[in-house]
Amino acid sequence: MEQHKPTDEHCPSCGADIVYWLPSGMLVADCFTKIRAITSFPQAVDVDKPQHPGRYCAGGCGGEFFNFGNDELWAKLEADRKRRETASIIVESTTPHESPLANYKIYFDRNVRRTAPRDKAPRNSEYIELEPGEHTIVVRDYDHLAVARRESNTIYFSVSDAEQLRFLFTVVDGTLTIQKVG
């Protein structure tokens, strides 16, 4: 990181100079178009060797951490995910009014999964992309600390490249059930 000290910026609390620590090669004028999030912190941080990019008061009374996006890294990770996760499944609730899927956790291969923010699911359903191969699915009550947490049957299934499978989730007399359709 490199240190920058603008001559015209001072701390509103104590009047001391403001010191910027930014990734190497970044100018103060460019940083505000690249910041993804700013987090204020109340305590003093070592202005001479901070551990995080940000704007610091030279007097030590506070400052702000800057988070910068790494668009190239996220684009690469998303491209890798798309290349791997070429199959998909849809889990549909047959009784959405009595038991919406939001009240339950869907586990694939022992990991909780939901419709990703980038994806759209049919109404009363969850759409999940996954890698081709052998998988398991089970649905459980949402609260993992509940004493009498219910769990559906476990289904072992195989999905091929570009294949989409459908599952139906039901709650009948308090019993959770998931079944493969087709």
Short mmCIF file of all heavy atoms in Angstrom, two decimals, residues 124-170:
data_model
loop_
_atom_site.label_atom_id
_atom_site.label_comp_id
_atom_site.label_asym_id
_atom_site.label_seq_id
_atom_site.Cartn_x
_atom_site.Cartn_y
_atom_site.Cartn_z
N ASN A 124 -43.03 -20.24 -5.85
CA ASN A 124 -43.07 -21.29 -4.81
C ASN A 124 -42.03 -22.38 -5.04
O ASN A 124 -42.25 -23.53 -4.72
CB ASN A 124 -44.46 -21.93 -4.72
CG ASN A 124 -45.53 -20.91 -4.45
OD1 ASN A 124 -45.33 -20.00 -3.63
ND2 ASN A 124 -46.65 -21.01 -5.13
N SER A 125 -40.89 -22.00 -5.61
CA SER A 125 -39.84 -22.97 -5.94
C SER A 125 -38.47 -22.41 -5.63
O SER A 125 -38.30 -21.21 -5.42
CB SER A 125 -39.88 -23.33 -7.42
OG SER A 125 -41.13 -23.86 -7.77
N GLU A 126 -37.51 -23.29 -5.63
CA GLU A 126 -36.10 -22.92 -5.57
C GLU A 126 -35.42 -23.51 -6.81
O GLU A 126 -35.68 -24.66 -7.17
CB GLU A 126 -35.43 -23.46 -4.31
CG GLU A 126 -35.94 -22.86 -3.02
CD GLU A 126 -35.49 -21.44 -2.78
OE1 GLU A 126 -34.49 -21.00 -3.38
OE2 GLU A 126 -36.15 -20.75 -1.97
N TYR A 127 -34.57 -22.71 -7.45
CA TYR A 127 -33.82 -23.15 -8.64
C TYR A 127 -32.34 -23.15 -8.25
O TYR A 127 -31.81 -22.14 -7.80
CB TYR A 127 -34.05 -22.18 -9.79
CG TYR A 127 -33.13 -22.39 -10.96
CD1 TYR A 127 -33.38 -23.38 -11.90
CD2 TYR A 127 -31.99 -21.60 -11.12
CE1 TYR A 127 -32.52 -23.58 -12.97
CE2 TYR A 127 -31.13 -21.79 -12.19
CZ TYR A 127 -31.41 -22.78 -13.10
OH TYR A 127 -30.55 -22.97 -14.16
N ILE A 128 -31.71 -24.30 -8.41
CA ILE A 128 -30.31 -24.42 -7.98
C ILE A 128 -29.50 -25.08 -9.08
O ILE A 128 -29.86 -26.14 -9.60
CB ILE A 128 -30.22 -25.24 -6.68
CG1 ILE A 128 -30.93 -24.46 -5.57
CG2 ILE A 128 -28.77 -25.49 -6.29
CD1 ILE A 128 -31.76 -25.25 -4.69
N GLU A 129 -28.40 -24.42 -9.44
CA GLU A 129 -27.47 -24.99 -10.42
C GLU A 129 -26.43 -25.80 -9.66
O GLU A 129 -26.02 -25.42 -8.56
CB GLU A 129 -26.81 -23.88 -11.22
CG GLU A 129 -27.80 -23.13 -12.10
CD GLU A 129 -27.18 -21.95 -12.82
OE1 GLU A 129 -26.17 -21.39 -12.34
OE2 GLU A 129 -27.72 -21.58 -13.86
N LEU A 130 -26.02 -26.94 -10.23
CA LEU A 130 -25.05 -27.78 -9.58
C LEU A 130 -24.24 -28.54 -10.61
O LEU A 130 -24.58 -28.56 -11.80
CB LEU A 130 -25.73 -28.74 -8.61
CG LEU A 130 -26.71 -29.76 -9.16
CD1 LEU A 130 -26.85 -30.89 -8.15
CD2 LEU A 130 -28.06 -29.14 -9.39
N GLU A 131 -23.18 -29.15 -10.13
CA GLU A 131 -22.32 -29.93 -11.02
C GLU A 131 -22.97 -31.26 -11.36
O GLU A 131 -23.66 -31.85 -10.52
CB GLU A 131 -20.97 -30.19 -10.33
CG GLU A 131 -20.15 -28.95 -10.10
CD GLU A 131 -18.80 -29.26 -9.46
OE1 GLU A 131 -18.22 -30.32 -9.79
OE2 GLU A 131 -18.34 -28.44 -8.66
N PRO A 132 -22.76 -31.75 -12.57
CA PRO A 132 -23.25 -33.09 -12.91
C PRO A 132 -22.61 -34.13 -11.98
O PRO A 132 -21.48 -33.94 -11.53
CB PRO A 132 -22.79 -33.30 -14.35
CG PRO A 132 -22.52 -31.93 -14.88
CD PRO A 132 -22.10 -31.11 -13.71
N GLY A 133 -23.36 -35.19 -11.69
CA GLY A 133 -22.81 -36.25 -10.85
C GLY A 133 -23.82 -36.75 -9.84
O GLY A 133 -25.02 -36.54 -9.97
N GLU A 134 -23.31 -37.43 -8.81
CA GLU A 134 -24.13 -38.03 -7.76
C GLU A 134 -24.33 -37.02 -6.63
O GLU A 134 -23.37 -36.38 -6.19
CB GLU A 134 -23.43 -39.28 -7.20
CG GLU A 134 -23.13 -40.33 -8.25
CD GLU A 134 -24.39 -41.01 -8.75
OE1 GLU A 134 -25.29 -41.25 -7.94
OE2 GLU A 134 -24.46 -41.27 -9.96
N HIS A 135 -25.58 -36.88 -6.17
CA HIS A 135 -25.90 -35.92 -5.12
C HIS A 135 -26.95 -36.47 -4.17
O HIS A 135 -27.59 -37.48 -4.47
CB HIS A 135 -26.43 -34.62 -5.74
CG HIS A 135 -25.47 -33.95 -6.64
ND1 HIS A 135 -24.44 -33.17 -6.19
CD2 HIS A 135 -25.37 -33.94 -7.99
CE1 HIS A 135 -23.74 -32.71 -7.22
NE2 HIS A 135 -24.29 -33.16 -8.33
N THR A 136 -27.13 -35.76 -3.05
CA THR A 136 -28.22 -36.06 -2.13
C THR A 136 -29.01 -34.78 -1.88
O THR A 136 -28.46 -33.67 -2.00
CB THR A 136 -27.71 -36.58 -0.77
OG1 THR A 136 -26.90 -35.57 -0.16
CG2 THR A 136 -26.95 -37.87 -0.92
N ILE A 137 -30.28 -34.94 -1.54
CA ILE A 137 -31.12 -33.80 -1.19
C ILE A 137 -31.98 -34.20 0.01
O ILE A 137 -32.47 -35.32 0.09
CB ILE A 137 -32.01 -33.34 -2.37
CG1 ILE A 137 -32.84 -32.13 -1.97
CG2 ILE A 137 -32.87 -34.45 -2.88
CD1 ILE A 137 -33.61 -31.50 -3.12
N VAL A 138 -32.11 -33.29 0.95
CA VAL A 138 -32.96 -33.47 2.12
C VAL A 138 -33.45 -32.08 2.54
O VAL A 138 -32.74 -31.09 2.33
CB VAL A 138 -32.20 -34.18 3.28
CG1 VAL A 138 -31.06 -33.35 3.81
CG2 VAL A 138 -33.15 -34.58 4.39
N VAL A 139 -34.65 -32.01 3.10
CA VAL A 139 -35.21 -30.74 3.56
C VAL A 139 -35.44 -30.84 5.06
O VAL A 139 -35.93 -31.86 5.55
CB VAL A 139 -36.54 -30.41 2.83
CG1 VAL A 139 -37.10 -29.09 3.32
CG2 VAL A 139 -36.33 -30.39 1.33
N ARG A 140 -35.06 -29.78 5.78
CA ARG A 140 -35.21 -29.75 7.24
C ARG A 140 -35.89 -28.46 7.66
O ARG A 140 -35.84 -27.46 6.95
CB ARG A 140 -33.84 -29.84 7.90
CG ARG A 140 -33.11 -31.13 7.60
CD ARG A 140 -31.77 -31.18 8.31
NE ARG A 140 -31.11 -32.44 8.02
CZ ARG A 140 -29.88 -32.55 7.55
NH1 ARG A 140 -29.15 -31.49 7.33
NH2 ARG A 140 -29.36 -33.73 7.31
N ASP A 141 -36.48 -28.48 8.86
CA ASP A 141 -37.02 -27.25 9.43
C ASP A 141 -35.91 -26.20 9.47
O ASP A 141 -34.73 -26.52 9.64
CB ASP A 141 -37.55 -27.48 10.85
CG ASP A 141 -38.92 -28.13 10.87
OD1 ASP A 141 -39.72 -27.86 9.94
OD2 ASP A 141 -39.20 -28.88 11.81
N TYR A 142 -36.30 -24.94 9.35
CA TYR A 142 -35.32 -23.86 9.23
C TYR A 142 -34.44 -23.72 10.48
O TYR A 142 -33.24 -23.58 10.38
CB TYR A 142 -36.04 -22.54 8.95
CG TYR A 142 -35.09 -21.46 8.51
CD1 TYR A 142 -34.73 -21.34 7.18
CD2 TYR A 142 -34.54 -20.57 9.43
CE1 TYR A 142 -33.84 -20.37 6.76
CE2 TYR A 142 -33.65 -19.59 9.02
CZ TYR A 142 -33.31 -19.49 7.70
OH TYR A 142 -32.42 -18.54 7.30
N ASP A 143 -35.04 -23.77 11.66
CA ASP A 143 -34.30 -23.54 12.90
C ASP A 143 -33.51 -24.79 13.29
O ASP A 143 -34.07 -25.77 13.75
CB ASP A 143 -35.26 -23.14 14.02
CG ASP A 143 -34.55 -22.79 15.31
OD1 ASP A 143 -33.29 -22.74 15.32
OD2 ASP A 143 -35.24 -22.54 16.32
N HIS A 144 -32.20 -24.72 13.14
CA HIS A 144 -31.37 -25.88 13.45
C HIS A 144 -31.23 -26.13 14.95
O HIS A 144 -30.74 -27.18 15.36
CB HIS A 144 -29.98 -25.73 12.80
CG HIS A 144 -29.16 -24.64 13.39
ND1 HIS A 144 -29.34 -23.31 13.06
CD2 HIS A 144 -28.18 -24.68 14.32
CE1 HIS A 144 -28.49 -22.58 13.74
NE2 HIS A 144 -27.78 -23.37 14.51
N LEU A 145 -31.68 -25.20 15.78
CA LEU A 145 -31.60 -25.38 17.23
C LEU A 145 -32.91 -25.91 17.83
O LEU A 145 -32.98 -26.15 19.03
CB LEU A 145 -31.22 -24.06 17.90
CG LEU A 145 -29.86 -23.48 17.52
CD1 LEU A 145 -29.64 -22.13 18.17
CD2 LEU A 145 -28.74 -24.45 17.90
N ALA A 146 -33.93 -26.06 17.00
CA ALA A 146 -35.22 -26.55 17.49
C ALA A 146 -35.07 -27.96 18.05
O ALA A 146 -34.40 -28.80 17.45
CB ALA A 146 -36.26 -26.53 16.38
N VAL A 147 -35.71 -28.20 19.19
CA VAL A 147 -35.60 -29.50 19.85
C VAL A 147 -36.18 -30.61 18.97
O VAL A 147 -35.59 -31.67 18.83
CB VAL A 147 -36.31 -29.46 21.22
CG1 VAL A 147 -36.31 -30.83 21.86
CG2 VAL A 147 -35.64 -28.44 22.11
N ALA A 148 -37.32 -30.38 18.39
CA ALA A 148 -37.97 -31.40 17.57
C ALA A 148 -37.88 -31.05 16.09
O ALA A 148 -38.86 -31.07 15.36
CB ALA A 148 -39.43 -31.54 17.99
N ARG A 149 -36.68 -30.75 15.65
CA ARG A 149 -36.49 -30.37 14.24
C ARG A 149 -36.84 -31.53 13.33
O ARG A 149 -36.34 -32.64 13.48
CB ARG A 149 -35.04 -29.95 14.02
CG ARG A 149 -34.80 -29.41 12.63
CD ARG A 149 -33.37 -29.00 12.45
NE ARG A 149 -33.21 -28.21 11.24
CZ ARG A 149 -32.05 -28.06 10.63
NH1 ARG A 149 -30.95 -28.61 11.11
NH2 ARG A 149 -31.97 -27.33 9.54
N ARG A 150 -37.70 -31.25 12.37
CA ARG A 150 -38.14 -32.28 11.43
C ARG A 150 -37.22 -32.35 10.22
O ARG A 150 -36.59 -31.36 9.86
CB ARG A 150 -39.57 -32.00 10.97
CG ARG A 150 -40.58 -32.04 12.11
CD ARG A 150 -41.93 -31.61 11.66
NE ARG A 150 -41.86 -30.22 11.18
CZ ARG A 150 -42.83 -29.60 10.51
NH1 ARG A 150 -43.95 -30.22 10.24
NH2 ARG A 150 -42.68 -28.35 10.11
N GLU A 151 -37.18 -33.53 9.62
CA GLU A 151 -36.34 -33.76 8.46
C GLU A 151 -37.09 -34.65 7.48
O GLU A 151 -37.75 -35.60 7.87
CB GLU A 151 -35.05 -34.44 8.91
CG GLU A 151 -34.09 -34.77 7.80
CD GLU A 151 -32.79 -35.34 8.33
OE1 GLU A 151 -32.16 -34.70 9.19
OE2 GLU A 151 -32.42 -36.43 7.86
N SER A 152 -36.97 -34.33 6.20
CA SER A 152 -37.61 -35.16 5.17
C SER A 152 -36.77 -36.41 4.92
O SER A 152 -35.68 -36.57 5.47
CB SER A 152 -37.75 -34.37 3.87
OG SER A 152 -36.49 -34.28 3.20
N ASN A 153 -37.30 -37.24 4.07
CA ASN A 153 -36.52 -38.37 3.58
C ASN A 153 -35.34 -37.84 2.77
O ASN A 153 -35.37 -36.72 2.28
CB ASN A 153 -37.40 -39.27 2.71
CG ASN A 153 -38.07 -38.49 1.60
OD1 ASN A 153 -38.73 -37.47 1.86
ND2 ASN A 153 -37.93 -38.95 0.37
N THR A 154 -34.28 -38.63 2.65
CA THR A 154 -33.12 -38.26 1.85
C THR A 154 -33.22 -38.96 0.50
O THR A 154 -33.49 -40.16 0.44
CB THR A 154 -31.81 -38.68 2.54
OG1 THR A 154 -31.75 -38.03 3.81
CG2 THR A 154 -30.60 -38.30 1.71
N ILE A 155 -33.01 -38.20 -0.56
CA ILE A 155 -33.02 -38.77 -1.91
C ILE A 155 -31.61 -38.72 -2.46
O ILE A 155 -30.94 -37.68 -2.42
CB ILE A 155 -33.98 -38.01 -2.84
CG1 ILE A 155 -35.41 -38.18 -2.36
CG2 ILE A 155 -33.83 -38.50 -4.28
CD1 ILE A 155 -36.43 -37.49 -3.23
N TYR A 156 -31.17 -39.87 -2.98
CA TYR A 156 -29.89 -39.96 -3.68
C TYR A 156 -30.23 -39.90 -5.16
O TYR A 156 -31.09 -40.64 -5.63
CB TYR A 156 -29.17 -41.27 -3.35
CG TYR A 156 -28.82 -41.38 -1.89
CD1 TYR A 156 -29.74 -41.87 -0.97
CD2 TYR A 156 -27.58 -40.96 -1.44
CE1 TYR A 156 -29.42 -41.95 0.37
CE2 TYR A 156 -27.25 -41.05 -0.10
CZ TYR A 156 -28.18 -41.54 0.82
OH TYR A 156 -27.87 -41.61 2.14
N PHE A 157 -29.56 -38.99 -5.89
CA PHE A 157 -29.88 -38.86 -7.31
C PHE A 157 -28.63 -38.56 -8.12
O PHE A 157 -27.61 -38.13 -7.58
CB PHE A 157 -30.94 -37.78 -7.54
CG PHE A 157 -30.49 -36.38 -7.21
CD1 PHE A 157 -30.00 -35.54 -8.20
CD2 PHE A 157 -30.56 -35.90 -5.91
CE1 PHE A 157 -29.58 -34.25 -7.90
CE2 PHE A 157 -30.16 -34.61 -5.60
CZ PHE A 157 -29.67 -33.78 -6.59
N SER A 158 -28.75 -38.80 -9.41
CA SER A 158 -27.68 -38.52 -10.36
C SER A 158 -28.23 -37.54 -11.39
O SER A 158 -29.36 -37.69 -11.84
CB SER A 158 -27.23 -39.81 -11.03
OG SER A 158 -26.21 -39.54 -11.95
N VAL A 159 -27.42 -36.56 -11.75
CA VAL A 159 -27.83 -35.58 -12.76
C VAL A 159 -26.71 -35.46 -13.80
O VAL A 159 -25.54 -35.48 -13.46
CB VAL A 159 -28.18 -34.21 -12.10
CG1 VAL A 159 -26.98 -33.59 -11.43
CG2 VAL A 159 -28.81 -33.27 -13.09
N SER A 160 -27.11 -35.36 -15.05
CA SER A 160 -26.16 -35.28 -16.17
C SER A 160 -25.93 -33.83 -16.58
O SER A 160 -26.67 -32.93 -16.21
CB SER A 160 -26.70 -36.05 -17.37
OG SER A 160 -26.98 -37.36 -17.03
N ASP A 161 -24.94 -33.65 -17.43
CA ASP A 161 -24.63 -32.34 -17.99
C ASP A 161 -25.85 -31.78 -18.72
O ASP A 161 -26.49 -32.49 -19.50
CB ASP A 161 -23.44 -32.46 -18.95
CG ASP A 161 -22.98 -31.12 -19.47
OD1 ASP A 161 -23.00 -30.15 -18.71
OD2 ASP A 161 -22.59 -31.07 -20.66
N ALA A 162 -26.22 -30.53 -18.44
CA ALA A 162 -27.33 -29.81 -19.06
C ALA A 162 -28.70 -30.40 -18.72
O ALA A 162 -29.69 -30.02 -19.31
CB ALA A 162 -27.15 -29.71 -20.57
N GLU A 163 -28.77 -31.30 -17.75
CA GLU A 163 -30.04 -31.91 -17.35
C GLU A 163 -30.67 -31.07 -16.22
O GLU A 163 -29.96 -30.49 -15.40
CB GLU A 163 -29.82 -33.33 -16.87
CG GLU A 163 -31.09 -34.07 -16.50
CD GLU A 163 -30.84 -35.50 -16.06
OE1 GLU A 163 -29.67 -35.83 -15.72
OE2 GLU A 163 -31.80 -36.27 -16.03
N GLN A 164 -32.00 -31.03 -16.21
CA GLN A 164 -32.71 -30.36 -15.13
C GLN A 164 -33.68 -31.37 -14.50
O GLN A 164 -34.48 -31.98 -15.19
CB GLN A 164 -33.49 -29.15 -15.63
CG GLN A 164 -34.17 -28.40 -14.51
CD GLN A 164 -34.85 -27.14 -14.99
OE1 GLN A 164 -35.93 -27.20 -15.57
NE2 GLN A 164 -34.20 -26.01 -14.78
N LEU A 165 -33.57 -31.53 -13.18
CA LEU A 165 -34.46 -32.43 -12.44
C LEU A 165 -35.44 -31.61 -11.62
O LEU A 165 -35.14 -30.48 -11.22
CB LEU A 165 -33.65 -33.34 -11.52
CG LEU A 165 -32.62 -34.26 -12.18
CD1 LEU A 165 -31.89 -35.08 -11.13
CD2 LEU A 165 -33.28 -35.17 -13.20
N ARG A 166 -36.61 -32.20 -11.35
CA ARG A 166 -37.64 -31.55 -10.54
C ARG A 166 -37.93 -32.40 -9.31
O ARG A 166 -38.01 -33.62 -9.39
CB ARG A 166 -38.91 -31.34 -11.34
CG ARG A 166 -38.75 -30.41 -12.51
CD ARG A 166 -40.06 -30.18 -13.23
NE ARG A 166 -40.89 -29.18 -12.60
CZ ARG A 166 -40.74 -27.87 -12.74
NH1 ARG A 166 -39.77 -27.41 -13.48
NH2 ARG A 166 -41.55 -27.02 -12.15
N PHE A 167 -38.11 -31.72 -8.18
CA PHE A 167 -38.48 -32.36 -6.94
C PHE A 167 -39.68 -31.66 -6.36
O PHE A 167 -39.81 -30.43 -6.48
CB PHE A 167 -37.31 -32.30 -5.93
CG PHE A 167 -36.12 -33.08 -6.35
CD1 PHE A 167 -35.13 -32.50 -7.14
CD2 PHE A 167 -35.95 -34.40 -5.97
CE1 PHE A 167 -34.01 -33.21 -7.53
CE2 PHE A 167 -34.85 -35.12 -6.36
CZ PHE A 167 -33.88 -34.53 -7.14
N LEU A 168 -40.56 -32.41 -5.71
CA LEU A 168 -41.73 -31.85 -5.03
C LEU A 168 -41.55 -32.01 -3.54
O LEU A 168 -41.21 -33.09 -3.04
CB LEU A 168 -43.01 -32.57 -5.46
CG LEU A 168 -43.52 -32.29 -6.86
CD1 LEU A 168 -44.78 -33.10 -7.13
CD2 LEU A 168 -43.79 -30.80 -7.05
N PHE A 169 -41.79 -30.92 -2.81
CA PHE A 169 -41.70 -30.93 -1.36
C PHE A 169 -43.11 -30.77 -0.79
O PHE A 169 -43.85 -29.89 -1.21
CB PHE A 169 -40.81 -29.79 -0.88
CG PHE A 169 -40.86 -29.57 0.60
CD1 PHE A 169 -40.32 -30.51 1.46
CD2 PHE A 169 -41.45 -28.45 1.12
CE1 PHE A 169 -40.38 -30.32 2.83
CE2 PHE A 169 -41.51 -28.25 2.48
CZ PHE A 169 -40.97 -29.18 3.34
N THR A 170 -43.48 -31.65 0.15
CA THR A 170 -44.80 -31.57 0.76
C THR A 170 -44.68 -31.72 2.27
O THR A 170 -43.71 -32.30 2.79
CB THR A 170 -45.75 -32.67 0.25
OG1 THR A 170 -45.16 -33.93 0.49
CG2 THR A 170 -46.03 -32.52 -1.22
#
